[in-house]
Amino acid sequence: MRTVIYPGSFDPITNGHLDVIQRASRLFDQVVVAVARNGSKQPLFTPAERKTLIEQSISNHDNVTVDVFEGLLVEYVEQQSGHAVIRGLRALSDFEYEFQMALMNRKLNERVETLFMMPRASYSFLSSHLVREIATLGGDVSAFVSPEVREALTKRLGQAGAN
Ligand code: ADP
């Protein structure tokens, strides 16, 4: 049983993340999408909300589960009996940070391999940050996220605007 961990903030999950999850789910027996509790200081969605949105967005994959974790990724991977970590690579700009992180994680635990996957080219410009910005400005994000995420964005940003 080969298990891979896909960690990230997923604030919120986008079609780019979903593309990576789908690719990983074809290669591994089990994919654990792991929402990092300690990430950006002021997330739009709580870790529990992000987890629910991921679950709603991936409802058709049997071998994908979603979890929230905190602390060191390498320790979480061991705890889950994971064999590897998946990260998405969009453009050269992702490389430097991802490269540093992969080597640091290897330093912390030699057994944890990091694998990189490229999404479909049309998703390579997509980020949660951009989706949040577009939604905040009232733009249409339906080409970038699932209907559930789009609805949650409208509700959250509508509520924020009403306050
Ligand atoms: P973080 O906040 O840790 O960078 P994100 O939630 O932004 O995490 O993303 C988690 C992982 O998914 C990262 O490896 C990131 O590079 C990757 N990723 C984000 N957006 C895309 C995308 N559009 N296509 C492919 N990979 C992506």
Side-chain angles (χ1 to χ4, degrees), residues 84-124:
V85 169
I86 290 272
R87 295 287 287 177
L89 268 191
R90 284 161 291 191
L92 209 56
S93 50
D94 278 342
F95 181 78
E96 182 87 34
Y97 172 71
E98 294 291 344
F99 183 70
Q100 278 185 5
M101 204 146 79
L103 291 185
M104 181 53 80
N105 280 337
R106 177 178 285 165
K107 193 91 188 151
L108 292 171
N109 187 333
E110 277 285 336
R111 290 184 299 277
V112 175
E113 282 304 338
T114 304
L115 304 176
F116 294 100
M117 302 196 84
M118 274 84 69
R120 188 191 300 186
S122 58
Y123 294 147
S124 60

Side-chain angles (χ1 to χ4, degrees), residues 2-74:
R2 289 263 148 196
T3 299
V4 72
I5 314 294
Y6 181 30
S9 310
F10 305 104
D11 186 33
I13 187 155
T14 69
N15 289 344
H17 294 127
L18 290 171
D19 183 281
V20 170
I21 292 169
Q22 197 168 35
R23 287 170 201 281
S25 75
R26 285 192 226 117
L27 291 177
F28 286 86
D29 299 311
Q30 187 70 35
V31 178
V32 180
V33 183
V35 177
R37 192 183 288 282
N38 42 354
S40 120
K41 293 256 180 308
Q42 285 194 312
L44 186 58
F45 296 103
T46 66
E49 287 170 335
R50 287 180 258 155
K51 176 175 185 270
T52 303
L53 286 173
I54 297 170
E55 282 164 351
Q56 290 170 341
S57 304
I58 55 159
S59 51
N60 53 347
H61 299 296
D62 297 341
N63 62 339
V64 181
T65 57
V66 190
D67 192 16
V68 174
F69 81 104
E70 56 193 327
L72 276 180
L73 175 64
V74 287

